[in-house]
């Protein structure tokens, strides 16, 4: 029975040791949200450094591994690190990431230049003047291979250029993220947000209840005016009445005398 160990520390996060390629652990770990970290050559849980251990994921993973025939040992250290140490470690990792991405962008750029040089040589090897393929001639095969080679070289050069642009964009984004995180304005906004959340939590602990419509100066609730129901008299003229019911219970439309507006009289007195 193969033994694996799940560990958690504030510095390293949640990792698993003892797995190997082809042992079937990758399927179980992927199903439970684990990720392979190439820089560490091991499986782990994302964003688990300096966080509380995600015990529900750890327990579910351990149960699945035991059901698959593995011997699982769990070692969790929930001790938190000082904030200054956490920020210093984060800044160091971010700086290393920026350097690694910048180096990758440089390599991709060099590969793109080499790919375009190869593309130029492949195009120059084609027959001059755009000579068509001579069907049935002994040069037909060589001509077709030269065209395919030039086409493939152009495709590789374009892909290499796109990869170089992508790597450079990632390097620039990482550098901007590092500068923005520790800029004075960002830090001040973060402090203001935390202070506001702390005040709100303290008010909740003190039993404060927010009341709307408070009349300033008196401290008594000021209720909004009650909503008035829309009646037929507000939505229609006073001279128009609703349909009436006959003694037999059937609804009848209002008569012409009921629906007709009142006559308009001339206010000027007659001579």
């Amino acid at each position: 029975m193969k033994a694996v160990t799940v560990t958690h520390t504030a510095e390293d996060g949640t990792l698993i040791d003892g797995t190997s390629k082809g042992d079937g652990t990758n399927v179980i770990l992927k199903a439970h949200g684990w990720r392979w970290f190439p820089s560490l050559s091991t499986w782990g849980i994302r964003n688990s450094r300096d966080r509380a251990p995600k015990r529900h994921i750890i327990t579910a993973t351990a149960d699945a591994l035991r059901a698959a025939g593995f011997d699982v040992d769990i070692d969790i250290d929930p001790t938190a690190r000082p904030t200054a140490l956490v920020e210093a470690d984060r800044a160091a990792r971010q700086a290393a990431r920026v350097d690694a991405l910048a180096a990758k962008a440089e390599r991709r750029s060099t590969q793109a230049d080499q790919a375009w040089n190869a593309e130029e040589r492949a195009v120059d090897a084609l027959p001059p003047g755009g000579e068509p393929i001579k069907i049935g001639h002994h040069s037909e095969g060589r001509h077709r291979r030269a065209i395919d080679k030039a086409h493939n070289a152009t495709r590789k050069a374009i892909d290499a250029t796109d990869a170089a642009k992508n790597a450079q964009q990632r390097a620039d984004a990482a550098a901007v993220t590092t500068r923005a995180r520790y800029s004075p304005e960002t830090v001040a906004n973060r402090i203001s947000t935390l202070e506001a959340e702390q005040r709100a939590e303290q008010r909740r602990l003190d039993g404060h209840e927010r009341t709307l419509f408070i009349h300033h100066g008196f401290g008594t609730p000021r209720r909004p005016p009650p909503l008035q129901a829309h009646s037929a008299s507000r939505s229609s003229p006073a001279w128009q009445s609703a349909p009436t019911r006959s003694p037999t219970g059937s609804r009848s439309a209002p008569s012409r005398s009921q629906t007709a507006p009142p006559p308009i009289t001339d206010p000027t007195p007659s001579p």
Side-chain angles (χ1 to χ4, degrees), residues 8 49 67 72 74 111 125 139-140 155 172-173 176 192 198 231 237:
H8 176 87
R49 283 194 181 105
V72 182
I74 300 177
Q111 293 172 1
S139 63
E140 178 183 357
R155 183 72 266 170
D172 295 341
V176 170
S192 299
Q198 187 177 15
S231 60

Side-chain angles (χ1 to χ4, degrees), residues 105 108-109 112 159-172:
R108 297 296 188 188
S109 179
D159 293 341
T161 302
D162 293 340
K165 290 181 180 180
N166 185 28
Q168 188 61 48
Q169 291 174 356
R170 292 183 62 190
D172 295 341

Side-chain angles (χ1 to χ4, degrees), residues 10-32:
E11 181 178 0
D12 298 329
T14 305
L15 304 174
I16 185 169
D17 298 325
T19 62
S20 59
K21 187 176 181 179
D23 60 358
T25 56
N26 60 330
V27 178
I28 299 175
L29 295 176
K30 286 181 181 179
H32 289 82

Side-chain angles (χ1 to χ4, degrees), residues 13-111:
T14 305
L15 304 174
I16 185 169
D17 298 325
T19 62
S20 59
K21 187 176 181 179
D23 60 358
T25 56
N26 60 330
V27 178
I28 299 175
L29 295 176
K30 286 181 181 179
H32 289 82
W34 292 67
R35 177 185 175 186
W36 175 258
F37 296 110
S39 59
L40 302 177
S41 299
T42 187
W43 292 87
I45 298 178
R46 296 187 61 182
N47 301 324
S48 59
R49 283 194 181 105
D50 297 302
R51 303 284 182 88
K54 299 179 180 180
R55 298 182 181 273
H56 62 288
I57 297 180
I58 296 175
T59 302
T61 304
D63 294 340
L65 290 173
R66 291 189 182 103
F70 292 90
D71 186 10
V72 182
D73 185 19
I74 300 177
D75 184 10
I76 296 178
D77 182 10
T79 306
R81 295 192 297 172
T83 304
L85 183 59
V86 172
E87 288 298 326
D89 191 12
R90 185 194 299 269
R93 292 198 309 270
Q94 188 67 17
R97 173 179 169 81
V98 171
D99 295 339
L101 289 175
K104 183 178 181 180
E106 184 66 24
R107 292 194 306 270
R108 297 296 188 188
S109 179
T110 302
Q111 293 172 1

Side-chain angles (χ1 to χ4, degrees), residues 139-171:
S139 63
E140 178 183 357
R142 182 175 65 253
H143 197 163
R144 290 185 183 277
R145 289 192 297 271
I147 293 176
D148 292 340
K149 184 178 180 180
H151 174 76
N152 294 333
T154 303
R155 183 72 266 170
K156 289 180 180 179
I158 294 174
D159 293 341
T161 302
D162 293 340
K165 290 181 180 180
N166 185 28
Q168 188 61 48
Q169 291 174 356
R170 292 183 62 190

